[in-house]
Amino acid sequence: MKLSHTSSLRGEITVPGDKSISHRSIMLGSIATGKTEISGFLKSADCISTMNAFRAMGIEITEENDIITVNGKGLYGLQAPNETIDCGNSGTTTRILSGILAGQSFETTLTGDESIQKRPMKRVIDPLSEMGASITSVKGNGCAPLNIKPSQLHGTHITTKVASAQVKSAVILAGLYADGETTLTEPSLSRNHTELMLSSFGADIRSGSFEDPTAVIVPGNELHGQKITVPGDISSAAYFIGAGLITPDSEILVKNVGINPTRDGLIRVFKAMNANLELLNVREVAGEKVADILVKTSELKGTEISGDIIPTLIDELPLIAVVATQAEGETVIKDAAELKVKESNRIDLTVNNLKAMGADAEATDDGMIIRGKSELHHAQINTAKDHRIAMSFSIASLINADVQPVDILDAGCVNISYPEFYKDLDSLKK
Ligand code: SPQ
């Protein structure tokens, strides 16, 4: 897709539902008893993979007037699927589902696309095995396909090396099927949507905190279907917030954005960079904090991003790197080696594409350094079919100094998390 620069961005936008919360709403709705009604569900390729996985296990999921209804069958109501479950491009589906499947009385195999089959799964295989699960990488390479056989799970204490909400959620959900209490301590607090939602479904769960990132799940409670309102995804809102900051003469109101403190690192970082950004109408919707975000063109300065804030903005780092090219001075991103094992190696891809556009960017072992301010030029952007790279560089294209457009390869990959992205971006161009 060819994208040209724009003179300004103005108007209001409501971003689609949060991807992480949408996945969890289907998963918990399926293993709860009774109906779960979901409004604001994100109908993107990744969340549809989760829906299809549960449909394949006998769960009826219907849609009417934009409300998704999951007819849950309880903790022990899933049925053996007829074939291997295809998780598509979704790491969230593959990893969290493996925790639920570890507690079932039937055997399953999970796989996904080329990218999924390269992403590390040992991080869920190891803790689930510690709990007594029978889970193996079919090819013996620590990646999907994963084979999961029935076994009795035991409550135990798990300590993880990486802060990962997917690993944490897999362990917590397996913990629902264990014979005692399961605790999980992660190095820093990762997003806590599973904990919040489980609590509203009636589970006996304690969420960790930034001071003590230990979650505790006690099995025994039945889960009950709920009404869920999914807030807008801050990871999708991020593109418009970033765009508003770096495009001249811009003012954008991004409405209904989830600002759970385990996800709001982007806002804290942009404020530290001197962003003209205001949170309006801050409220709570179904246990999640939500706000409208007003953003205006800003004179930005570089910053350091490292430590405990990293898990709270991990998916936004390619976009933050693009924005950093328009900040005076150096932006240093550290402690973010996890970026190498996402849908692509997001450190290398971000830095190579930034350099191709003329920015001063350098990859490091666990992050990157961007020195601003640089004029950006047209280039061909290799996305490796990674939706976050495609959207981040679509934002870079808005300030391309040349007449020639930026060429985003495999631009359709935005379907993974934000099918209407280009249409929404166009609606703001003035
Ligand atoms: O599902 P997937 O492919 O892993 O999605 C990504 C994304 O950019 O959309 C990561 F590539 O988001 C993850 C996120 O990085 C979604 C997620 C979740 O919903 O629990 C947690 C984070 O991953 P992790 O590995 O830190 O648990």
mmCIF file of all heavy atoms in Angstrom, residues 14-42:
data_model
loop_
_atom_site.group_PDB
_atom_site.id
_atom_site.type_symbol
_atom_site.label_atom_id
_atom_site.label_comp_id
_atom_site.label_asym_id
_atom_site.label_seq_id
_atom_site.Cartn_x
_atom_site.Cartn_y
_atom_site.Cartn_z
ATOM 1 N N THR A 14 -12.944 6.596 17.360
ATOM 2 C CA THR A 14 -13.197 5.598 18.409
ATOM 3 C C THR A 14 -12.525 4.317 17.941
ATOM 4 O O THR A 14 -12.910 3.758 16.905
ATOM 5 C CB THR A 14 -14.711 5.368 18.607
ATOM 6 O OG1 THR A 14 -15.295 6.635 18.917
ATOM 7 C CG2 THR A 14 -14.984 4.412 19.759
ATOM 8 N N VAL A 15 -11.509 3.900 18.668
ATOM 9 C CA VAL A 15 -10.751 2.719 18.216
ATOM 10 C C VAL A 15 -11.515 1.440 18.571
ATOM 11 O O VAL A 15 -12.339 1.439 19.473
ATOM 12 C CB VAL A 15 -9.317 2.679 18.813
ATOM 13 C CG1 VAL A 15 -8.465 3.773 18.234
ATOM 14 C CG2 VAL A 15 -9.340 2.715 20.329
ATOM 15 N N PRO A 16 -11.226 0.333 17.868
ATOM 16 C CA PRO A 16 -11.945 -0.920 18.159
ATOM 17 C C PRO A 16 -11.568 -1.518 19.511
ATOM 18 O O PRO A 16 -10.615 -1.073 20.157
ATOM 19 C CB PRO A 16 -11.523 -1.836 17.018
ATOM 20 C CG PRO A 16 -10.257 -1.277 16.503
ATOM 21 C CD PRO A 16 -10.296 0.191 16.753
ATOM 22 N N GLY A 17 -12.325 -2.531 19.900
ATOM 23 C CA GLY A 17 -12.178 -3.159 21.217
ATOM 24 C C GLY A 17 -10.791 -3.716 21.480
ATOM 25 O O GLY A 17 -10.053 -4.065 20.552
ATOM 26 N N ASP A 18 -10.478 -3.806 22.760
ATOM 27 C CA ASP A 18 -9.168 -4.286 23.189
ATOM 28 C C ASP A 18 -8.988 -5.758 22.790
ATOM 29 O O ASP A 18 -9.830 -6.603 23.091
ATOM 30 C CB ASP A 18 -9.081 -4.129 24.712
ATOM 31 C CG ASP A 18 -7.709 -4.448 25.227
ATOM 32 O OD1 ASP A 18 -7.390 -5.649 25.395
ATOM 33 O OD2 ASP A 18 -6.943 -3.503 25.447
ATOM 34 N N LYS A 19 -7.864 -6.043 22.147
ATOM 35 C CA LYS A 19 -7.611 -7.411 21.658
ATOM 36 C C LYS A 19 -7.438 -8.381 22.824
ATOM 37 O O LYS A 19 -8.020 -9.466 22.832
ATOM 38 C CB LYS A 19 -6.375 -7.390 20.744
ATOM 39 C CG LYS A 19 -5.928 -8.768 20.263
ATOM 40 C CD LYS A 19 -5.082 -8.677 19.020
ATOM 41 C CE LYS A 19 -3.627 -8.351 19.266
ATOM 42 N NZ LYS A 19 -2.828 -9.432 19.867
ATOM 43 N N SER A 20 -6.634 -7.986 23.818
ATOM 44 C CA SER A 20 -6.376 -8.890 24.950
ATOM 45 C C SER A 20 -7.672 -9.225 25.684
ATOM 46 O O SER A 20 -7.926 -10.384 26.045
ATOM 47 C CB SER A 20 -5.415 -8.227 25.940
ATOM 48 O OG SER A 20 -4.187 -7.982 25.332
ATOM 49 N N ILE A 21 -8.507 -8.205 25.893
ATOM 50 C CA ILE A 21 -9.749 -8.426 26.649
ATOM 51 C C ILE A 21 -10.738 -9.238 25.808
ATOM 52 O O ILE A 21 -11.453 -10.108 26.317
ATOM 53 C CB ILE A 21 -10.343 -7.070 27.106
ATOM 54 C CG1 ILE A 21 -9.350 -6.379 28.066
ATOM 55 C CG2 ILE A 21 -11.699 -7.245 27.776
ATOM 56 C CD1 ILE A 21 -9.757 -4.984 28.530
ATOM 57 N N SER A 22 -10.757 -8.990 24.492
ATOM 58 C CA SER A 22 -11.664 -9.744 23.614
ATOM 59 C C SER A 22 -11.339 -11.240 23.653
ATOM 60 O O SER A 22 -12.235 -12.084 23.786
ATOM 61 C CB SER A 22 -11.575 -9.216 22.179
ATOM 62 O OG SER A 22 -12.048 -7.880 22.129
ATOM 63 N N HIS A 23 -10.045 -11.584 23.543
ATOM 64 C CA HIS A 23 -9.655 -13.013 23.627
ATOM 65 C C HIS A 23 -10.173 -13.630 24.927
ATOM 66 O O HIS A 23 -10.755 -14.704 24.949
ATOM 67 C CB HIS A 23 -8.131 -13.132 23.704
ATOM 68 C CG HIS A 23 -7.402 -13.022 22.402
ATOM 69 N ND1 HIS A 23 -7.576 -13.899 21.367
ATOM 70 C CD2 HIS A 23 -6.423 -12.167 22.001
ATOM 71 C CE1 HIS A 23 -6.759 -13.582 20.366
ATOM 72 N NE2 HIS A 23 -6.046 -12.526 20.730
ATOM 73 N N ARG A 24 -9.890 -12.915 26.024
ATOM 74 C CA ARG A 24 -10.231 -13.464 27.346
ATOM 75 C C ARG A 24 -11.734 -13.597 27.535
ATOM 76 O O ARG A 24 -12.202 -14.486 28.240
ATOM 77 C CB ARG A 24 -9.594 -12.589 28.437
ATOM 78 C CG ARG A 24 -8.059 -12.796 28.511
ATOM 79 C CD ARG A 24 -7.363 -11.566 29.007
ATOM 80 N NE ARG A 24 -5.945 -11.741 29.273
ATOM 81 C CZ ARG A 24 -4.951 -11.606 28.375
ATOM 82 N NH1 ARG A 24 -5.241 -11.332 27.120
ATOM 83 N NH2 ARG A 24 -3.684 -11.757 28.727
ATOM 84 N N SER A 25 -12.514 -12.690 26.909
ATOM 85 C CA SER A 25 -13.968 -12.756 27.086
ATOM 86 C C SER A 25 -14.522 -14.053 26.478
ATOM 87 O O SER A 25 -15.433 -14.664 27.033
ATOM 88 C CB SER A 25 -14.642 -11.519 26.480
ATOM 89 O OG SER A 25 -14.450 -11.481 25.083
ATOM 90 N N ILE A 26 -13.957 -14.473 25.350
ATOM 91 C CA ILE A 26 -14.407 -15.739 24.731
ATOM 92 C C ILE A 26 -13.943 -16.924 25.579
ATOM 93 O O ILE A 26 -14.697 -17.868 25.839
ATOM 94 C CB ILE A 26 -13.829 -15.887 23.296
ATOM 95 C CG1 ILE A 26 -14.316 -14.759 22.393
ATOM 96 C CG2 ILE A 26 -14.149 -17.267 22.721
ATOM 97 C CD1 ILE A 26 -15.764 -14.817 21.991
ATOM 98 N N MET A 27 -12.687 -16.855 26.026
ATOM 99 C CA MET A 27 -12.140 -17.991 26.782
ATOM 100 C C MET A 27 -12.906 -18.203 28.087
ATOM 101 O O MET A 27 -13.358 -19.310 28.386
ATOM 102 C CB MET A 27 -10.662 -17.740 27.090
ATOM 103 C CG MET A 27 -9.791 -17.755 25.847
ATOM 104 S SD MET A 27 -8.076 -17.374 26.272
ATOM 105 C CE MET A 27 -7.299 -17.456 24.667
ATOM 106 N N LEU A 28 -13.054 -17.135 28.872
ATOM 107 C CA LEU A 28 -13.732 -17.287 30.163
ATOM 108 C C LEU A 28 -15.221 -17.564 29.964
ATOM 109 O O LEU A 28 -15.810 -18.372 30.683
ATOM 110 C CB LEU A 28 -13.530 -16.053 31.045
ATOM 111 C CG LEU A 28 -12.088 -15.727 31.444
ATOM 112 C CD1 LEU A 28 -12.075 -14.767 32.631
ATOM 113 C CD2 LEU A 28 -11.291 -16.965 31.786
ATOM 114 N N GLY A 29 -15.819 -16.908 28.962
ATOM 115 C CA GLY A 29 -17.233 -17.163 28.676
ATOM 116 C C GLY A 29 -17.472 -18.637 28.362
ATOM 117 O O GLY A 29 -18.489 -19.216 28.762
ATOM 118 N N SER A 30 -16.534 -19.271 27.675
ATOM 119 C CA SER A 30 -16.694 -20.673 27.270
ATOM 120 C C SER A 30 -16.616 -21.630 28.451
ATOM 121 O O SER A 30 -17.303 -22.648 28.479
ATOM 122 C CB SER A 30 -15.611 -21.053 26.253
ATOM 123 O OG SER A 30 -15.743 -20.271 25.097
ATOM 124 N N ILE A 31 -15.771 -21.299 29.447
ATOM 125 C CA ILE A 31 -15.608 -22.242 30.573
ATOM 126 C C ILE A 31 -16.423 -21.805 31.803
ATOM 127 O O ILE A 31 -16.267 -22.358 32.887
ATOM 128 C CB ILE A 31 -14.113 -22.452 30.937
ATOM 129 C CG1 ILE A 31 -13.429 -21.124 31.292
ATOM 130 C CG2 ILE A 31 -13.389 -23.181 29.820
ATOM 131 C CD1 ILE A 31 -12.045 -21.292 31.897
ATOM 132 N N ALA A 32 -17.286 -20.803 31.595
ATOM 133 C CA ALA A 32 -18.221 -20.403 32.661
ATOM 134 C C ALA A 32 -19.544 -21.120 32.414
ATOM 135 O O ALA A 32 -19.779 -21.629 31.309
ATOM 136 C CB ALA A 32 -18.424 -18.894 32.620
ATOM 137 N N THR A 33 -20.401 -21.137 33.408
ATOM 138 C CA THR A 33 -21.738 -21.679 33.142
ATOM 139 C C THR A 33 -22.654 -20.513 32.788
ATOM 140 O O THR A 33 -22.549 -19.431 33.356
ATOM 141 C CB THR A 33 -22.324 -22.417 34.370
ATOM 142 O OG1 THR A 33 -22.152 -21.577 35.508
ATOM 143 C CG2 THR A 33 -21.634 -23.726 34.619
ATOM 144 N N GLY A 34 -23.518 -20.753 31.806
ATOM 145 C CA GLY A 34 -24.487 -19.722 31.401
ATOM 146 C C GLY A 34 -23.930 -18.803 30.329
ATOM 147 O O GLY A 34 -22.831 -18.993 29.830
ATOM 148 N N LYS A 35 -24.746 -17.803 30.020
ATOM 149 C CA LYS A 35 -24.445 -16.902 28.888
ATOM 150 C C LYS A 35 -23.458 -15.810 29.279
ATOM 151 O O LYS A 35 -23.607 -15.202 30.332
ATOM 152 C CB LYS A 35 -25.729 -16.177 28.479
ATOM 153 C CG LYS A 35 -26.618 -16.926 27.536
ATOM 154 C CD LYS A 35 -27.709 -15.950 27.058
ATOM 155 C CE LYS A 35 -28.733 -16.532 26.125
ATOM 156 N NZ LYS A 35 -28.828 -17.922 25.891
ATOM 157 N N THR A 36 -22.517 -15.523 28.402
ATOM 158 C CA THR A 36 -21.689 -14.317 28.531
ATOM 159 C C THR A 36 -22.003 -13.441 27.330
ATOM 160 O O THR A 36 -21.957 -13.914 26.180
ATOM 161 C CB THR A 36 -20.190 -14.690 28.587
ATOM 162 O OG1 THR A 36 -19.938 -15.287 29.857
ATOM 163 C CG2 THR A 36 -19.278 -13.473 28.418
ATOM 164 N N GLU A 37 -22.389 -12.194 27.583
ATOM 165 C CA GLU A 37 -22.719 -11.282 26.482
ATOM 166 C C GLU A 37 -21.646 -10.215 26.388
ATOM 167 O O GLU A 37 -21.360 -9.522 27.370
ATOM 168 C CB GLU A 37 -24.083 -10.626 26.732
ATOM 169 C CG GLU A 37 -25.213 -11.621 26.526
ATOM 170 C CD GLU A 37 -26.574 -11.035 26.837
ATOM 171 O OE1 GLU A 37 -26.655 -9.860 27.281
ATOM 172 O OE2 GLU A 37 -27.549 -11.769 26.642
ATOM 173 N N ILE A 38 -21.056 -10.105 25.204
ATOM 174 C CA ILE A 38 -19.888 -9.224 25.043
ATOM 175 C C ILE A 38 -20.222 -8.090 24.079
ATOM 176 O O ILE A 38 -20.586 -8.337 22.926
ATOM 177 C CB ILE A 38 -18.679 -10.011 24.478
ATOM 178 C CG1 ILE A 38 -18.487 -11.326 25.260
ATOM 179 C CG2 ILE A 38 -17.414 -9.175 24.518
ATOM 180 C CD1 ILE A 38 -17.620 -12.340 24.524
ATOM 181 N N SER A 39 -20.083 -6.849 24.541
ATOM 182 C CA SER A 39 -20.217 -5.733 23.594
ATOM 183 C C SER A 39 -18.844 -5.100 23.412
ATOM 184 O O SER A 39 -18.002 -5.132 24.313
ATOM 185 C CB SER A 39 -21.240 -4.714 24.072
ATOM 186 O OG SER A 39 -20.867 -4.226 25.324
ATOM 187 N N GLY A 40 -18.605 -4.561 22.225
ATOM 188 C CA GLY A 40 -17.315 -3.943 21.917
ATOM 189 C C GLY A 40 -16.243 -4.968 21.546
ATOM 190 O O GLY A 40 -15.060 -4.642 21.477
ATOM 191 N N PHE A 41 -16.658 -6.205 21.269
ATOM 192 C CA PHE A 41 -15.699 -7.272 20.925
ATOM 193 C C PHE A 41 -14.931 -6.902 19.651
ATOM 194 O O PHE A 41 -15.499 -6.378 18.699
ATOM 195 C CB PHE A 41 -16.478 -8.581 20.696
ATOM 196 C CG PHE A 41 -15.616 -9.761 20.373
ATOM 197 C CD1 PHE A 41 -14.962 -10.449 21.374
ATOM 198 C CD2 PHE A 41 -15.442 -10.174 19.053
ATOM 199 C CE1 PHE A 41 -14.153 -11.543 21.078
ATOM 200 C CE2 PHE A 41 -14.642 -11.265 18.746
ATOM 201 C CZ PHE A 41 -14.002 -11.952 19.758
ATOM 202 N N LEU A 42 -13.638 -7.179 19.645
ATOM 203 C CA LEU A 42 -12.796 -6.888 18.472
ATOM 204 C C LEU A 42 -12.909 -8.032 17.465
ATOM 205 O O LEU A 42 -12.430 -9.141 17.729
ATOM 206 C CB LEU A 42 -11.334 -6.739 18.918
ATOM 207 C CG LEU A 42 -10.310 -6.639 17.769
ATOM 208 C CD1 LEU A 42 -10.474 -5.336 16.999
ATOM 209 C CD2 LEU A 42 -8.897 -6.777 18.303
#
